[in-house]
Amino acid sequence: MSILGNRVLRKEDPRFLRGEGRYVENLPLEGALAVTFVRSLLAHARIDGVDATAAATLPNVQVFTGADVDAGPFGPPPFPGLNPGMGRPLVATDVVRFVGDIVAIVVSEDRATGVDAAELVSVDYDPLPAVVSPQDAAKDEVLLYPEVGTNVACRSGSPEHDEKLFDGCDVVVSGTLVSPRMAPCPLEPRSAAAEVGPDGRVTAWLSTQTPHQDRMVLAGTLGLDPAQVRVVAPDVGGGFGAKMLNPEEVLLVWLARRLGRPVRWTETRSESMVALPHGRAQRLDYTIGGTRDGKVLAYRLDVLQDSGAYPVLGAFLPNLTALMASGVYAIPRIEFEGRSVVTNTTPISAFRGAGRPEASQTIERALDAFAAELELDPVEVRRRNFIPADAFPHTTVTHAAYDSGDYEGALDLVLRSAGYEELRDEQRRRREQGEATQLGIGISCYVEITNGIAETEFGEVEITPDGGAIVRTGSFSHGQGHETTFAMIAAEQLGLPIEKVTVHKGDTDEIAKGTGTYGSKSTQIGGMAARLAADEVVEHAKELVGDYLEASPADIVLDPALGRLHVAGDPSQAISWADLAVRASADDRLAELKASHEFKAVPTFPFGAHVAVVEVDTETGRVELRRLVAVDDAGTLINPLVAEGQVHGGIATGVAQALYEHVVYDDDGNPMTSTFVGYAFPSAADLPSWETVEMETPTPVNALGAKGIGESGTIGATPAVHNAVVDALAPFGVRHVDMPANGENVWRALEEART
Ligand code: MCN
């Protein structure tokens, strides 16, 4: 029986549950100096001077300013269309561009002294006007980079408007949706350490998702040969897309080389809230048009992306929003224009979903607004526009080549599971009785893209002297359970028990190559690479067994149930992996039982449907999420238990954006939500238990049939909950509520509708 598709408990959990996880912060690193960053308290200012005299009087304290750092700038990354003139000095020298920008570095023997010294560093600022809203930035009145001449960091789509786009439409509806800026809030904040070895090579221990890519960027930014840099990522307590390389990690390596001593830095929570890149922060203006019977004919989307002070991945994300603009619907005409602008705020990067949630948040709100205008059930309007299940592969007018799907099937399943008709009955009853607490029912149907830029991943499998196996992968698990699921994949191919398979990751000296983990691509490319490497090991094993049994390798077969190799049709003389490893070791041939593979594939398109049920107190605006029923189809599941965990976490993030989280700045660019007191990061106690329903539509793109699941819940949940809140308020004439749809925003929407 196959181990794949079983709810195998996570191999890594005992380590974490016993507190035996190894994070950068608790790695033994003798004699490590503490690093503290001095950060700007102003959003936009010229630096007239940095005085470190007082700080340097504290025992064993050294202070470095931008003038000392002979490396950088950092970025912008080489994405097509990104303005190359908007690089970030590793330490600000002339100008600070957001609260949290690095203005000096303090190095001390212990962390407490470093914090004291940082407070004594005096920076002479000459304030400049701060540009906080992307709409203001787009006016190009105050420029963050005067030498560049514009605040626009990147353009996507086309500024051309087709006057005839909405021709033939009986009904045209417009609206604006702001996808609130979110802080990623990993449980483990960022942490980095670095040390130069006796051979002059530098090792950087990073809390990251992408060790191999980090090695290249570190080497590139510091002018080093990549062979001189080793990156090790130990256990990582969450990344959510944001833990990619930033100036802080580069500076740690620079300091270790400069000082010849090991150094370590771990972010505080409030530092993480301003300095770790944020996510989302898109303003989306939409117009949707169609026929009176609910057929959508045209859709226009204008995106204004806030990129924060220094453009990194976030500035590029409208390209993904454009690609996924059509959602699960066959829309014949779509126009898209995206502009990404710099503002005096924390940089925007990837955050769970990265560019795709914004697309589904908008098309799903637009569909509901269109249905409301037509006075049709939102379910009915969706049915009239789905890409049908027999139309795959299907390429949308925005050039997304969907691999496989059954969008109506997912909707049917979720409606049945939620008891949609009964919910509508209950809603009708409350409306008729004029109850203060109204019921809202929200639907979302989504499709998203995983392995979005068709990447390659590395996998290696090696039989160990005891007949077990090591899987080495270029993917990097930071909460996704790869130690279990990748072991399952290799165990399946080798016919070994999962206990005999160990997964190694995250050390660039041990693992030859890798792209890392983001875009929910690990299973479909990293898992496939491991699988194909395991298959090659089996082929090599057949050679060896052929030699030992004096038979042709072509006649040798693997019995996957017993993990033994024998001549086809003659299992009496079989050799187990354990026996083979012993014999091969004795003959000095164990190294033959090792193979590596690089797997490249096109993107896959997971999809699903969510139903959210909310209660809204129409007197106070208070919203309570009662239920969230979710169908998330990621193709064939390797481990439904792990996948379900991914969906649970993903939904929590999606609900949090719909109802709670929002990074807020005042007009001068001061962050108002830089601790968990001010930032509404929900805990499990704030959320109901999710009702997840399995559905598996394999992809033809890889032999596992697997698509990604890591971000799906997030993408499906936000629009379902958002739609539910608006639905609850429909009888009051409310057609729109800003996210997060919290008590205040709901109350405002109600007041506006009443007046
Ligand atoms: N899985 C499966 N069957 C599938 C697909 C996935 O059993 N068809 C399992 C996998 O084997 C894997 C897990 O689900 O163990 C997630 O796999 P996948 O969807 O391939 O995603 P990645 O491993 O590439 O993870 C990335 C994704 C992203 S982009 C973000 S953001 C995210 C996420 O995963 N950040 C997370 N999940 C997170 N979970 C935790 N705990 N912490 C984060 O920071």
Side-chain angles (χ1 to χ4, degrees), residues 191-361:
S191 192
E195 180 178 37
V196 179
D199 57 359
R201 289 181 80 224
V202 64
T203 300
W205 291 271
L206 305 180
S207 177
T208 180
Q209 311 172 195
T210 50
H212 290 82
Q213 295 197 37
D214 295 353
R215 171 165 165 259
M216 298 309 288
V217 180
L218 281 170
T221 314
L222 295 171
L224 301 172
D225 177 349
Q228 291 299 102
V229 182
R230 173 186 182 193
V231 172
V232 182
D235 286 323
V236 170
F240 307 104
K243 276 193 185 159
M244 299 188 192
L245 204 75
N246 275 292
E248 286 85 349
E249 291 86 2
V250 181
L251 287 167
L252 264 281
V253 172
W254 180 84
L255 285 166
R257 285 170 46 84
R258 167 85 176 236
L259 299 169
R261 293 263 310 262
V263 288
R264 175 156 40 204
W265 162 74
T266 298
E267 208 169 43
T268 66
R269 177 60 62 190
S270 46
E271 186 180 23
S272 183
M273 297 297 281
V274 297
L276 178 66
H278 294 158
R280 309 276 192 274
Q282 274 190 12
R283 179 195 160 95
L284 305 109
D285 295 307
Y286 65 82
T287 305
I288 189 165
T291 59
R292 198 141 281 291
D293 62 359
K295 183 84 189 122
V296 177
L297 296 180
Y299 182 53
R300 178 171 174 92
L301 196 54
D302 286 281
V303 168
L304 186 59
Q305 169 77 60
D306 184 347
S307 308
Y310 299 99
V312 283
L313 183 57
F316 184 73
L317 289 179
N319 286 290
L320 276 185
T321 312
L323 186 70
M324 299 311 296
S326 193
V328 292
Y329 310 108
I331 304 179
R333 301 194 294 270
I334 297 182
E335 264 186 11
F336 182 94
E337 183 186 2
R339 281 170 308 155
S340 303
V341 292
V342 285
T343 59
N344 292 116
T345 60
T346 297
I348 295 288
S349 187
F351 176 59
R352 208 165 194 169
R356 296 101 84 198
E358 296 86 334
S360 44
Q361 287 166 15

Side-chain angles (χ1 to χ4, degrees), residues 422-457:
E422 293 75 17
L423 287 168
R424 285 285 177 213
D425 289 345
E426 166 70 5
Q427 180 181 59
R428 215 169 292 122
R429 189 189 64 74
R430 290 200 200 191
R431 284 181 178 175
E432 280 163 11
Q433 295 183 356
E435 287 186 15
T437 301
Q438 288 290 326
L439 200 70
I441 305 153
I443 316 288
S444 93
C445 297
Y446 74 89
V447 54
E448 70 124 335
I449 180 170
T450 57
N451 186 31
I453 49 173
E455 285 181 270
T456 303
E457 194 51 278

Side-chain angles (χ1 to χ4, degrees), residues 582-608:
V582 169
R583 282 185 75 168
S585 299
D587 296 342
D588 209 13
R589 293 185 67 183
L590 189 64
E592 290 174 35
L593 296 177
K594 177 176 174 177
S596 61
H597 197 95
E598 282 183 78
F599 183 76
K600 180 176 170 64
V602 294
T604 59
F605 293 82
F607 63 94

